[in-house]
Amino acid sequence: NFFSFLFKAERVLIQLMMVNMFNMFPYACVLFILIDGALSSSSVMSTMTTPPSPPRNFTLGPTSFLLDGEEHYLRSGELHYSRIPSALWEDRLDRVKALGLNAIQVYVPWNFHERSFVGGEYDFEGDRDIGRFLSLASERGLLVLLRPGPYICGEWDFGGLPARLLSDQSLKIRTYDEAYMSEVTAWFDVLLPLMQPFLVENGGPIVMVQ
């Protein structure tokens, strides 16, 4: 069972995501995340709710993935909530479903959610309400391959990293630099607990994290 390999150490997750092999999905390692920690409601604007679906089981079988014990082949495409007005999310997800896809890959741009130039304030409402986006995907039977970065590339400004990181010339981005890792940890301490209810084991659509 894949979930026996869940990581409780967020720092380990961060370090693994820095490895170059994660740039190519076909060769990437798949991580399932178990996150603990509390959020500060004063620094995070969010209306996200827990998915209503019952828990499901997603594992690796001899020749394919298994969803609730049945062979399941992923046919996925990229769909970026951060590039689509929230009023159009349902339409775009319906189109994805009509194309015959059963999963989507979703980037989470750090700098799309950070509201303050000094950091520590985040927005998950309106067009930034990734929880609603994930819930809409789940309602349509679409699984999700979440790609939270911290560096996402994705033809997104600065790969999703906040521009404020450049103000500290001693900070070395995309390395194991202590200052950089501290910034990433602070961001993941906010994002990952918000994503936990959307894991497939909790009834959500997220079956993989890259």
Side-chain angles (χ1 to χ4, degrees):
N1 190 316
F2 269 176
F3 289 107
S4 64
F5 296 99
L6 289 171
F7 290 96
K8 293 189 67 176
E10 295 171 2
R11 192 171 185 84
V12 173
L13 170 65
I14 295 168
Q15 293 173 344
L16 287 176
M17 285 184 172
M18 308 296 291
V19 180
N20 288 335
M21 64 181 176
F22 277 87
N23 292 331
M24 296 296 292
F25 177 75
Y27 304 101
C29 295
V30 175
L31 295 178
F32 292 85
I33 304 176
L34 178 64
I35 307 105
D36 52 15
L39 296 176
S40 169
S41 58
S42 61
S43 63
V44 180
M45 297 174 57
S46 174
T47 57
M48 294 196 291
T49 56
T50 302
S53 302
R56 306 185 73 182
N57 186 33
F58 187 81
T59 59
L60 181 63
T63 60
S64 70
F65 293 114
L66 301 177
L67 181 61
D68 295 331
E70 300 291 331
E71 285 192 349
H72 192 85
Y73 295 90
L74 296 174
R75 301 182 301 278
S76 70
E78 294 279 355
L79 192 65
H80 303 164
Y81 70 97
S82 54
R83 287 188 164 103
I84 306 169
S86 56
L88 297 177
W89 285 350
E90 292 187 67
D91 173 77
R92 298 304 187 263
L93 288 165
D94 287 340
R95 291 170 186 257
V96 166
K97 188 73 174 180
L99 285 170
L101 302 183
N102 61 12
I104 55 174
Q105 299 178 49
V106 181
Y107 283 119
V108 184
W110 179 358
N111 59 17
F112 184 62
H113 293 282
E114 188 169 281
R115 295 188 295 126
S116 170
F117 188 77
V118 297
E121 296 184 10
Y122 306 93
D123 187 355
F124 292 93
E125 295 185 331
D127 288 345
R128 293 168 169 78
D129 190 351
I130 184 176
R132 176 171 174 263
F133 181 80
L134 295 175
S135 293
L136 291 173
S138 182
E139 290 172 7
R140 287 155 176 78
L142 293 168
L143 300 178
V144 171
L145 287 60
L146 191 71
R147 309 175 78 174
Y151 181 84
I152 65 170
C153 192
E155 293 71 54
W156 188 270
D157 184 43
F158 202 23
L161 298 180
R164 65 176 177 80
L165 298 182
L166 296 174
S167 65
D168 183 355
Q169 296 185 2
S170 66
L171 186 150
K172 300 177 178 60
I173 64 170
R174 302 184 67 190
T175 70
Y176 295 131
D177 175 71
E178 185 175 352
Y180 174 69
M181 296 299 288
S182 177
E183 292 281 1
V184 173
T185 298
W187 161 234
F188 275 5
D189 280 346
V190 171
L191 175 66
L192 299 186
L194 291 178
M195 296 296 96
Q196 184 177 6
F198 295 94
L199 294 177
V200 67
E201 66 170 5
N202 295 323
I206 299 175
V207 293
M208 296 185 187
V209 177
Q210 180 185 358

